[in-house]
Amino acid sequence: MIEIRNLSHAEGRTPILHDITLSLPKGGVTAILGPNGAGKSTLLSLMARLRPLQAGSIAYDGMDIAATPTERLARKLAILRQDSTVGSRLTVRDLVGFGRFPHHRGRPGPADRAAVEAALGQFDLAPLAGRFTEELSGGQRQRALVAMAFVQATDYLLLDEPLSGLDMYYARMLMRLLRRLAEEHGRTVVVVLHEINYAAAHADRIVALKDGRVALEGPAAEVFASARLSPIFGMEIPVERWHGRPVALHYT
Amino acid sequence: MPPASLPTAEPRAGRHAALALAGLALLAGASLFVGAAPLSASALLADGEGARMLMLSRLPRTLACLLTGAAMAIAGLVMQMLARNRFVEPSTVGSAQGAALGLLAVTLVWPAAGLAAKMLAASLASLAGTAAFLAMVRRLPVTQPLLVPLAGLAWGAILGAAATFIAWETDLMQFLEIWLNGEFSGVVQGRYEILWLTGIFAAAAYLLADRFTIAGLGRDAAVGLGLRYERVLLLGLLIVAAVTALTVVTVGMIPFVGLVVPNLVRMGAGDNIRAALPLVALAGAGAVLAADLVGRLVIHPFEVPAATVFGVIGAGVFVWLIVTRRGHGA
């Protein structure tokens, strides 16, 4: 379980998050939605201890991130950041392989290598494994980075807009994979999404932020409704049902 | 769509290393027999005088070139990962100038200081100079990678100017010249052995290779993988400063080695430090030895300092790297 208590954060004098208290159950996919500037990325960065906490606390299964060594946290949670350009010239296999670092600390064993090969296969990266990351397209690089977070094999997986740069084929593949991770492996996935229909199709829970506050929270089946989503984004979002599933029709 | 199978650029580090080793052996062999005084293999066998020259002068000089080149290339590689920028190296961004300032200070304050005290002063001053540079880099926008070497050049020039002023006022200009413009003609037995210490730092860099590679991915990626980022930065700084100080104290800095060699190697081998570091060390050793050999030959029997030879070639390659942005990702 992820417990966030009274979390507030400011960049300089600009407040970003206001007194956020959230409790996310273990297992399942939680989608974080919200308009630009709502504080989604800041929330995820704080949850992944990439920035120091200013006020409040975050704990995973009772493990307080402020009191747990960072090495230990790296085996508990993995993060895929929104802007993860790879400045280094690494092969895809090496890059994904560094996702195992928290487990081997510099001495990869057969189990680590097997995990990397499995992840390369799972993300259709095997044919690209020997290529340098700078020779990949943006979407291919994004897939390599997702594979790197995936191979870290943590109970908690935090992803900040993992679908950016992915085409429909890989966006759906990734969402289905996250779904499988939650269902078959009991992992807890927290994913920031821009396209709300992916949340409707794949998330168990939805948390929506607006102006640094939790504006909406609950099971996806309950809260994915026009009356609840429209005020958050400040626009009319019709939600229709198609073959029994909710679909937002916000394109026109 | 899933991609079709495509040709890959898997680095063939093993074959490269074997080639580099063979080239290095050839250069080292040549180095033993090139100099102001003639020395041939037959003369070596015929009399003891030739053997004496070999052991007292030629071998130490060759080893000094190899050790200096390998160490400086590694220091450059480490610094580039720490700064997350391809275009920096210890001799341009303040590490060498810092070491020279430290040496000047200890020479003026405590003229009788031994080698260990001088080393320590040079290392600490180099550490301070490099740390200040890295602190500066953190404030620069990542979207402007060329600002980093520019800021480094300016910072190195400020420290260098301060060193020049002090040296001028205190009549130590000739020392400063030697510290910052390395050459190997004065290397004889007993005057280079401290360079073996660079081996310790090279080994440390190899042990920390994965950590430096991860640090090169940026702070967030490193923290996400459970790395103590600040500690890795500090360890890298220590390696850069110690290697720089050792080089400055013994033979003097060879500019551009730390810049050109890692950049050329990474085009083939990439940035995985564990794979690249041995190649960088071999190539650095070979490059400095080659520069020294050229310096011994161009106006034979007189000599041109290796730093001057390397400066000419290195500056050209530096400009080429910047203009083409060869191998600069994203």
Side-chain angles (χ1 to χ4, degrees):
Chain A
M1 186 159 87
I2 309 177
E3 279 173 288
I4 301 172
R5 289 215 186 110
N6 306 114
L7 187 71
S8 294
H9 196 83
E11 279 310 332
R13 288 188 173 175
T14 314
I16 309 284
L17 297 174
H18 304 271
D19 197 28
I20 289 189
T21 297
L22 258 181
S23 187
L24 301 175
K26 195 168 172 118
V29 176
T30 299
I32 298 187
L33 309 176
N36 292 337
K40 307 182 294 290
S41 289
T42 304
L43 177 62
L44 232 63
S45 298
L46 292 172
M47 286 171 70
R49 50 89 171 82
L50 299 184
R51 293 186 214 180
L53 293 181
Q54 294 171 352
S57 69
I58 300 171
Y60 293 81
D61 301 332
M63 190 188 270
D64 190 327
I65 61 165
T68 310
T70 190
E71 295 90 342
R72 184 125 179 262
L73 285 172
R75 293 191 295 270
K76 192 76 182 168
L77 64 108
I79 168 95
L80 173 77
R81 282 197 341 121
Q82 186 181 349
D83 165 43
S84 356
T85 45
V86 184
S88 301
R89 192 169 154 85
L90 293 174
T91 62
V92 172
R93 179 176 280 115
D94 282 353
L95 181 75
V96 174
F98 280 115
R100 295 298 300 171
F101 183 81
H103 300 276
H104 63 63
R105 303 293 296 176
R107 295 155 184 259
D112 297 303
R113 290 199 188 86
V116 171
E117 293 308 315
L120 290 172
Q122 203 146 19
F123 286 86
D124 279 346
L125 290 166
L128 305 171
R131 285 229 237 156
F132 287 119
T133 42
E134 55 194 7
E135 295 160 0
L136 302 180
S137 75
Q140 291 170 333
R141 191 154 51 231
Q142 179 74 355
R143 252 158 60 217
L145 288 164
V146 175
M148 184 182 172
F150 168 79
V151 87
Q152 210 172 323
T154 51
D155 289 344
Y156 293 89
L157 187 56
L158 315 176
L159 307 110
D160 196 351
E161 289 185 39
L163 305 185
S164 68
L166 295 186
D167 61 24
M168 283 185 284
Y169 177 93
Y170 284 114
R172 186 176 71 167
M173 187 189 94
L174 177 59
M175 289 311 295
R176 286 181 171 179
L177 192 70
L178 295 179
R179 188 73 244 148
R180 269 215 332 264
L181 278 176
E183 278 171 15
E184 295 170 19
H185 302 276
R187 308 264 195 96
T188 311
V189 178
V190 180
V191 54
V192 173
L193 294 173
H194 259 303
E195 172 49 71
I196 59 175
N197 278 317
Y198 282 115
H202 300 281
D204 302 298
R205 294 183 71 78
I206 287 177
V207 173
L209 297 184
K210 185 173 187 177
D211 299 329
R213 294 188 168 84
V214 176
L216 185 67
E217 190 206 346
E222 274 176 36
V223 303
F224 201 87
S226 180
R228 323 244 357 216
L229 292 172
S230 298
I232 288 167
F233 291 93
M235 61 185 269
E236 182 62 20
I237 302 177
V239 175
E240 301 292 335
R241 295 198 87 78
W242 183 77
H243 289 262
R245 296 159 170 241
V247 180
L249 301 169
H250 53 290
Y251 302 105
T252 54
Chain B
M1 287 292 291
S5 194
L6 287 164
T8 64
E10 194 89 277
R12 296 175 182 83
R15 198 194 299 169
H16 289 156
L19 268 176
L21 263 180
L24 203 58
L26 272 177
L27 276 174
S31 168
L32 293 178
F33 295 99
V34 171
L39 176 67
S40 66
S42 52
L44 196 58
L45 294 173
D47 65 47
E49 194 57 30
R52 253 172 57 84
M53 180 158 74
L54 190 76
M55 295 313 292
L56 283 178
S57 161
R58 294 287 166 74
L59 186 64
R61 180 174 191 161
T62 304
L63 288 172
C65 286
L66 296 174
L67 289 168
T68 311
M72 280 194 308
I74 290 172
L77 178 70
V78 170
M79 171 171 271
Q80 285 158 23
M81 292 321 266
L82 300 185
R84 297 190 71 198
N85 190 290
R86 306 286 143 223
F87 305 125
V88 297
E89 65 134 344
S91 73
T92 55
V93 302
S95 311
Q97 293 82 352
L101 272 173
L103 265 181
L104 271 178
V106 78
T107 308
L108 290 170
V109 175
W110 185 21
L115 191 60
K118 284 182 174 170
M119 266 301 306
L120 192 66
S123 298
L124 288 177
S126 176
L127 192 67
T130 317
F133 164 67
L134 283 184
M136 238 182 294
V137 166
R138 284 193 172 191
R139 290 163 192 274
L140 297 173
V142 283
T143 47
Q144 299 284 331
L146 289 184
L147 279 181
V148 174
L150 278 178
L153 283 169
W155 174 238
I158 291 170
L159 293 183
T164 305
F165 176 75
I166 297 171
W168 182 264
E169 291 291 316
T170 54
D171 246 343
L172 291 171
M173 275 306 281
Q174 51 179 357
F175 289 101
L176 187 66
E177 178 64 24
I178 292 168
W179 293 336
L180 293 181
N181 218 22
E183 54 111 11
F184 297 89
S185 66
V187 174
V188 288
Q189 198 178 47
R191 285 196 54 188
Y192 82 101
E193 283 77 358
I194 190 176
L195 281 172
W196 285 108
L197 284 179
T198 58
I200 296 173
F201 297 101
Y206 188 72
L207 282 176
L208 294 166
D210 282 353
R211 283 162 173 78
F212 289 140
T213 311
I214 292 173
L217 292 172
R219 185 184 176 276
D220 283 352
V223 172
L225 291 174
L227 206 69
R228 294 185 185 258
Y229 184 68
E230 275 71 26
R231 190 190 290 177
V232 174
L233 278 193
L234 182 63
L235 288 170
L237 273 176
L238 285 173
I239 290 174
V240 169
V243 164
T244 305
L246 277 166
T247 310
V248 168
V249 167
T250 47
V251 293
M253 208 64 191
I254 315 284
F256 294 112
V257 175
L259 185 103
V260 168
V261 171
N263 269 290
L264 293 178
V265 170
R266 77 184 285 270
M267 286 181 196
D271 282 329
N272 191 343
I273 306 291
R274 182 142 339 255
L277 191 134
L279 288 173
V280 165
L282 284 175
V288 168
L289 187 57
D292 186 51
L293 265 174
V294 171
R296 274 184 255 173
L297 288 169
V298 276
I299 50 170
H300 191 269
F302 305 104
E303 293 199 10
V304 178
T308 308
V309 174
F310 210 97
V312 172
I313 302 163
V317 179
F318 183 30
V319 170
W320 175 68
L321 284 170
I322 285 194
V323 170
T324 60
R325 300 280 204 100
R326 202 50 83 101
H328 193 272

